[in-house]
Amino acid sequence: MRKIYPSAAAALEGVLFDGMTIAAGGFGLCGIPELLIGAIRNAGTKNLTIASNNAGVDGFGLGILLTTRQVRKMISSYVGENAEFMRQYLSGELELEFNPQGTLAERLRAGGAGIPGFYTRTGVGTVIAEGKEHKEFDGKTYILERGIISDLAIVKAWRADPSGNLEFRKTARNFNPPAATSGRICVAEVEEIVPLGALDPDKIHLPGIYVHRLIQGAHEKRIENRTVRPRAAAEA
Amino acid sequence: MPWDRNQMAERAGQELQDGWYVNLGIGIPTLVANYIPQGVNVTLQSENGMLGMGPFPVDGDEDPDLINAGKQTITELPQTAYFDSAQSFAMIRGGKIAMAILGAMEVAENGDLANWMIPGKLVKGMGGAMDLVAGVGRVVVVMDHASKHGESKVLHRCTLPLTGAGVVNRIITNLGVLDVVPGGLKIVECADGVTEAELRAATEATIIG
């Protein structure tokens, strides 16, 4: 069982096909699998359905797969930072399924956990509930949401060991663990692969059972909305 | 003088109670973090996976792995905990967050809230707002009382697609504070220098009592 691959392209060999469903980790541009996204662009795989909280920005993150028209449908909660996305959506070129953020996270988690559906209060009385089963529990109305099993999950972590155990850093964890578990195959990209035994087994955020292929690489880690206080004011 | 953005945020800060876990939305609600009353300890949740959100970093200390739900760079605190998005919304859906303070495009007298899209014009998405209003203990809306065109945003019925039905408990605007009660809205207080008559005149929704 060898999980480490020499490049993003090599790690995706044999797993990409037109019309597939991909779950991608990340929140905004934080914790996104930028190397694997680039390799999917280079592979030219088309008609993709992508479940991801956001769609990147113009020219970075999943935005690059929109530019190349490789995406048929997005399943997302928020797409506000991407002009090309908006243009393709409003012109009918791109399908968009809005999911509430927590519903999307739970759909991925449930799919990976062998749970085909779950009832939630989220979205009751809104357009999100249209066409979905409604059911009362203890006097409150819930709607049925389905788990998502993806053909491929692409995620980004901070560190991994060769067995695929992953450690994330701060808020870059976000959708990566639920997205990873939803995948029939999960490919993870990390900043550093450390030797077996270097990760504390008590501090592993995602066990290697969910991770099938692994690459290490340099990440740009672009900041979407840099917000700071002036140093002088903070020290005053 | 009606309240300005900071005064609305300061008034919203009075809603916070010691020991609460609270989620602040984007816009004016984010400013509420600057007006947490003395002696009140609250833990701010950021739905992208963090409890114990600290202030913005000083110039040069920003970390691309540490952002809030508005994608702004932030800092951690000694009590900070990180977790994934499924865990984050488990605590929201599970009712562990005492209160959410959110912005709005429209609020109705039955507690309906619309703040996520304008059909044909603005398609950004609901983010975590639908989960928050369905899951947290109490929902407080902070917004301008009227639109840029001077029309009341406090309505009999929302005209925009809903974020949640019957979910709002309290509305804080530049003109005052209103509670959602059976039969309509009830005036809690008027902003400094705003009369009750002015507040009523600026409100489309039914005000009872």
Side-chain angles (χ1 to χ4, degrees), chain A residues 18-37:
Chain A
D18 290 348
M20 73 189 302
T21 297
I22 298 176
F27 182 93
L29 300 181
C30 181
I32 59 170
E34 50 186 86
L35 306 175
L36 292 161
I37 291 168

Side-chain angles (χ1 to χ4, degrees), chain B residues 133-147:
Chain B
V133 299
V136 303
R138 184 170 169 77
V139 174
V140 173
V141 161
V142 183
M143 64 172 194
D144 284 324
H145 207 91
S147 71

